[in-house]
Amino acid sequence: MNREVFTMILAMIVLTVLSELAFTFYVSAYGFSNFIGHIFKLFSFALFYKAILVNGLLKPQNLFYGLLENEEERRRQNEFILMTMARNYPDSYLLIVERDFSISFSTKEPESSDKRKTLEQLFGTDAEIITANVREAFLGRQRSCEVRQKGQYFNYKTVPLYSGDNKIERVLIVVENITIRIKKERMEQAKWKFNDYAANHSFDELLCFFLDEAEVLSGSQIGFFHFVDDDQEHLSLRARSTNTSRNICDDDIQELNRPYALSDAGIRGWCVSERRAVILNDYRNDPETKGLPSGHVPIVREMVVPVFNNKKIVAILGVGNKYDLYDEDDVKTVGDLAELVWETIMRKQTETALRERDEKLRNLEKALEQSPVSIVITDRKGRIEYVNRKFCTITGYGEKELLGNNPKILKSGETTAEQYSEMWKTIRSGHTWQGFFHNRKKNGELYWEDAVISPVFNERGAISHYVSVKEDISGRLEEEAKRKQLEEQLQHQGKMDALGQLAGGMAHDFNNTLSGIIGAAQLLKNTSIDPGTKGEQYVTMILQAALRAADLTAKLLTFSRKSQVDIKPVNLHNLIDEAVSILRRTIDKKISIKVEKGAENPVIEADYSSLENCLMNLCINASHAMPEGGSIGIITGNIHLDETYCRNSSFELSPGDYLRLEVVDTGTGIPLDLQKKIFEPFFTTKNPGKGTGRSPRASTGLFRNLIELMP
């Protein structure tokens, strides 16, 4: 043998042994030992190519034609070398193809080398592509292809073999079983594919995709996935592979998601109860199998592996009807895939839960921000951690101004310390507090809040935060006050109308009676009584009393609007002067009267007598409130009443310019609970014998006739 060729073969064997040693430290497809092993193997193949194909087969002085003269000896020597190489590569075998496409030598079946087989006989359905590559090799072109056969993956490399005259007379086929490598690569690829697939597909689609991949990696034709219940006594079919659903099982045979007992599940039940992978390579003859439902395809072989989560079986992944026998390599492949399945399922469920939670949080955030009420969240010490947009709008504070601050910046002093104390006591005890705050905005404006404050508990049951839901009820309170005022006005108006009708009726009847008395007294005085006698004096007294009664009747008619008042231009300042001159002679000398004439145009249209009577009554009532002396002020001025004032007024007013008449005093004043009654007719707080107690309502008829400025 040529020394160079011998050296190369020896080095090739050493490198092969080193590569196999490196593979024993295999960790992953991308591990360092795996990388070194492949490097050694590549150099081994290079030496093989150099020693056998170049030095031995391609050169005239090669191993087969240069060293051996005997053809039979050369053939045996070639077979010996090829067999030696095949033994060093247990996952590969070598074939030599003649020009008639028959196989003259095979390291896989050396004893049958004399009985030549054709490519069609050896490779079956895959012979066509291999034959095409052999033809290319006879033309001097090397080719390689990967073929899947019965769940195994093979690489076919065709190399031309040259004769002594440098002609191609044979083709060498190097067949390498690459199933393990392909499975490792596909497992790594599967991790990336599953992640991408899971992101855009439903849960059931993802399971079906996993089962399809499990069939491919294990060379099976059936795939199924069961979930195991928490009681570890029932399981339910959750998904089938595409091939299983399409060609093997009907939904009517076994319903999806329907639980059934482990005792009725056969090999699948054993997998759960024994907590290990189970292989049945002779399913039909195993006495422990439960048989199959009617219409189910026959099962030849089946393998089921458990899926664990926290030492508990949560699912099982099964495959069946592999062409070859299932072994521990299949258990590892499907087991690794099952773990990847569950890992992806858990990740997808987590991602889905997070996505749903994020969606809920976004919706909650939108609801909080768009809420028509104010929402504030504080920590246990009352520091603000969240405010919504409505709260900022109402208070006038910006979010940055409020965060980290305390809600007491809204204190106006109107809410009592006792109310705050009660609030804190309630919420710190874990209960909800509801009440009202009279707070102050950033611009100083006061407003009312209807607030509900509740504690927020953490997972340990301790209070971590407080949430406050508040509503600005200032407008509502104003509307309620206006409504109440309007109701009181309507009630008062009804009462006054009833009193007016009563007073009008009484005055009318009394006036008729007085007319007869006055007429009879006049006749008696003019015809039957001598002047200067006591009779005339008595008749005069009757007439005076009757006339006073007639004046009172006129006032009652004015109150009831049953009498026309005498409206004409009146100089208010002159009227005040005349009234003051009378008052100074009649009221207590310890009371001084001061007049301030501020009105630019004092001429108004009014009933002189009624207005004077009203002013006199107000001043006399004021003097009664100052038994120890004091002062009375009469002030005039001009005022413009706008639409808002007129709308809220108790009187029927129209917007415009008015003259204002004020009567002020330094007396004891009127208590708040009596101020609403001062315009009620005949209301008095005076004891008997202390005056008539005529109220300001005596001038109601006058006030109803609007006192406008003369143009």
Side-chain angles (χ1 to χ4, degrees), residues 47 92 116 260-261 290 322 452 536 569 601 613 631:
L47 290 173
S92 304
R116 294 188 178 184
Y260 57 98
K290 295 291 183 179
K322 180 184 177 182
V452 178
E536 181 184 21
N601 183 5
N613 216 0
S631 64

Side-chain angles (χ1 to χ4, degrees), residues 408 411-426 428 433 436-439:
K408 65 183 180 181
K411 278 187 176 181
S412 64
E414 299 290 331
T415 304
T416 63
E418 290 76 11
Q419 185 176 353
Y420 284 118
S421 177
E422 179 190 356
M423 177 200 72
W424 280 109
K425 181 180 179 181
T426 301
R428 282 172 176 166
W433 179 87
F436 300 93
F437 292 122
H438 199 194
N439 285 335

Side-chain angles (χ1 to χ4, degrees), residues 558-571:
T558 299
F559 171 75
S560 64
R561 296 186 178 181
K562 293 183 178 294
S563 174
Q564 294 295 325
V565 293
D566 185 14
I567 301 297
K568 59 183 178 181
V570 175
N571 189 309

Side-chain angles (χ1 to χ4, degrees), residues 518-557:
I518 292 173
Q522 287 285 359
L523 290 174
L524 182 61
K525 180 179 180 181
N526 295 333
T527 60
S528 304
I529 301 299
D530 294 330
T533 63
K534 285 188 177 182
E536 181 184 21
Q537 184 178 358
Y538 293 147
V539 170
T540 300
M541 292 173 63
I542 292 172
L543 283 173
Q544 290 176 350
L547 289 174
R548 285 196 297 274
D551 183 61
L552 177 61
T553 303
K555 286 182 173 57
L556 287 173
L557 289 172

Side-chain angles (χ1 to χ4, degrees), residues 77-120:
Q77 186 67 28
N78 287 342
E79 291 178 356
F80 172 76
I81 294 173
L82 293 176
M83 290 298 296
T84 302
M85 293 177 59
R87 281 195 294 270
N88 286 283
Y89 294 93
D91 293 334
S92 304
Y93 64 94
L94 306 174
L95 301 171
I96 293 179
V97 181
E98 302 295 331
R99 278 197 167 273
D100 61 356
F101 292 94
S102 64
I103 299 173
S104 60
F105 177 78
S106 171
T107 59
K108 186 177 182 182
E109 300 176 349
E111 68 280 356
S112 62
S113 297
D114 293 336
K115 301 176 182 179
R116 294 188 178 184
K117 291 184 178 180
T118 63
L119 295 176
E120 287 78 7

Side-chain angles (χ1 to χ4, degrees), residues 401-467:
E401 296 179 274
L402 294 167
L403 295 181
N405 216 322
N406 194 291
K408 65 183 180 181
I409 63 173
L410 303 175
K411 278 187 176 181
S412 64
E414 299 290 331
T415 304
T416 63
E418 290 76 11
Q419 185 176 353
Y420 284 118
S421 177
E422 179 190 356
M423 177 200 72
W424 280 109
K425 181 180 179 181
T426 301
I427 62 178
R428 282 172 176 166
S429 64
H431 297 87
T432 298
W433 179 87
Q434 183 174 6
F436 300 93
F437 292 122
H438 199 194
N439 285 335
R440 187 185 306 277
K441 300 180 181 180
K442 184 177 180 180
N443 60 7
E445 180 183 347
L446 298 179
Y447 70 102
W448 282 97
E449 282 184 332
D450 184 359
V452 178
I453 305 177
S454 300
V456 178
F457 301 92
N458 59 21
E459 61 277 2
R460 298 186 301 274
I463 297 175
S464 61
H465 293 80
Y466 299 105
V467 58

Side-chain angles (χ1 to χ4, degrees), residues 23-24 34 49 84 131 142 157 194 243 260 345 395 417-418 424 462 464 480 511 514 522 552 571 573 606 620 682 697:
F23 287 145
T24 59
N34 190 46
Y49 178 79
T84 302
T131 301
Q142 294 186 20
K157 187 172 184 178
F194 292 163
N243 184 59
Y260 57 98
I345 289 174
T395 63
E418 290 76 11
W424 280 109
S464 61
E480 290 179 355
N511 202 34
L514 287 176
Q522 287 285 359
L552 177 61
N571 189 309
H573 289 173
I620 292 171
F682 315 119
R697 188 65 192 184

